[in-house]
Amino acid sequence: MYPATGKQVTPHPCAITMATGQKLMRAIRVFEFGGPEVLKLQSDVVVPAPQSHQVLIKVHACGVNPVETYIRSGTYSRKPALPYTPGSDVAGIIESVGDGVSAFKKGDRVFCFSTVSGGYAEFALSADNTTYPLPETLDFRQGAALGIPYFTACRALFHSARARAGESVLVHGASGGVGLATCQIARAHGLKVLGTAGSEEGKKLVLQNGAHEVFNHKEANYIDKIKTSAGDKGVDVIIEMLANKNLSNDLKLLSCGGRVIVVGCRGSIEINPRDTMAKETSIIGVSLFSSTKEEFQQFAGILQAGIEKGWVKPVIGSEYPLEKAAQAHEDIIHSSGKMGKMILLL
């Protein structure tokens, strides 16, 4: 598939400068909601200036998340004002800081999970309280894979599920960015980790990232295999990446008081509520940006400890140049057996 512009674009080595003195940059812009083709690469976007308590990041890598495709299509509950630049997760170097910023200075390596101006761009604005130091032990690609996947995994496990050491967790769709993050965090916090993936390669990756056992969700009898592994008690927590396909089966796998935590869903499903009654089980949705400032600080602390101890190790999947953003949006929804975090490189 050609880039969103319909022609090959030669990347600029750096932002260019107008005669007026305004710096310009390359960025993906969305002028109307629709399919991946509405992602337009522009080379004349003005580099934003940081306001109070904001930083300007020279973006080296940006994560691509499924939610960005829903927002782009216009079907998501939150619709940004048009035109806009997609993207939340970036990693790069501080270019400049606004008034009131004391934690960062020009030249610092950072990552961010919630850009103000959009991450599919050479420069991105971020609030200083959603920006974090990026240790030298992680490269920029890994930094761009930290934000939404790892913060979502923390919220799902500790806020929504209230998971405790000694419990079991099934990560349904464990080979993607959020799934692998969940496996790493759950294993480090003393849970028995089961995972599913759609290929032998995916199963191997999930095992390498914290799972005790992995099952191929494309096999006809994989649910029976999970039941056998979980034993009579069942699974305490299920982190669900595709609820519209798996929720009915999930309810049959749970322990007494078990919880299904819905992280991802792409449609409707028919379930029998009776399946929740005998074991008093729960279905709980996750919305990362419902987190309070204090909760984000808690999640950041968990990740900082994991980076220092070495168990936070983002796995990078497909990589695309900025001009291939439309292809990335196509692939993140339609490519089966996704492994690792999809990123744009700048």
Side-chain angles (χ1 to χ4, degrees), residues 192-211:
K192 179 184 178 182
V193 184
L194 310 178
T196 72
S199 67
E200 289 305 309
E201 190 180 3
K203 287 174 62 178
K204 182 179 179 182
L205 185 64
V206 173
L207 281 173
Q208 290 170 345
N209 283 277

Side-chain angles (χ1 to χ4, degrees), residues 9 11 20 35 38 43 48 59 97 106 122 134 140 173 241 336:
V9 178
T20 60
V38 303
S43 297
V59 178
V97 302
K106 181 179 172 66
E122 290 182 311
L134 180 64
F140 290 119
M241 308 300 170
S336 61

Side-chain angles (χ1 to χ4, degrees), residues 186-253:
R187 179 66 177 254
H189 285 80
L191 283 89
K192 179 184 178 182
V193 184
L194 310 178
T196 72
S199 67
E200 289 305 309
E201 190 180 3
K203 287 174 62 178
K204 182 179 179 182
L205 185 64
V206 173
L207 281 173
Q208 290 170 345
N209 283 277
H212 293 86
E213 290 184 76
V214 188
F215 307 88
N216 188 333
H217 55 65
K218 291 183 177 177
E219 292 181 2
N221 64 338
Y222 85 99
I223 294 293
D224 294 330
K225 291 183 177 181
I226 295 174
K227 285 181 178 177
T228 300
S229 174
D232 293 337
K233 181 190 176 193
V235 179
D236 297 309
V237 175
I238 298 177
I239 307 296
E240 181 54 68
M241 308 300 170
L242 198 61
N244 56 293
K245 184 172 182 180
N246 301 318
L247 185 56
S248 182
N249 281 329
D250 289 343
L251 294 176
K252 297 175 176 66
L253 290 170

Side-chain angles (χ1 to χ4, degrees), residues 251-282:
L251 294 176
K252 297 175 176 66
L253 290 170
L254 289 175
S255 64
C256 288
R259 296 83 82 195
V260 178
I261 310 301
V262 179
V263 172
C265 183
R266 295 182 183 172
S268 59
I269 185 173
E270 184 174 311
I271 64 168
N272 186 347
R274 187 176 293 276
D275 291 335
T276 68
M277 294 166 63
K279 295 181 179 180
E280 294 191 329
T281 55
S282 305

Side-chain angles (χ1 to χ4, degrees), residues 9-12 15 24-28 41-45 120-123 322-323 345-346:
V9 178
T10 302
H12 287 236
L24 300 181
M25 65 177 179
R26 295 184 308 136
I28 297 293
L41 180 64
Q42 306 280 300
S43 297
D44 58 353
V45 179
Y120 296 12
E122 290 182 311
F123 292 90
L322 183 62
E323 60 266 25
L345 292 174
L346 289 94

Side-chain angles (χ1 to χ4, degrees), residues 55-105:
V55 299
L56 180 67
I57 301 170
K58 174 70 177 78
V59 178
H60 285 244
C62 178
V64 180
N65 296 291
V67 69
E68 288 147 23
T69 71
Y70 312 149
I71 295 171
R72 181 215 70 226
S73 71
T75 60
Y76 195 61
S77 56
R78 175 168 54 86
K79 286 187 180 182
L82 296 170
Y84 77 97
T85 294
S88 296
D89 294 332
V90 302
I93 294 175
I94 297 288
E95 179 74 9
S96 60
V97 302
D99 294 340
V101 176
S102 58
F104 301 103
K105 64 182 185 306

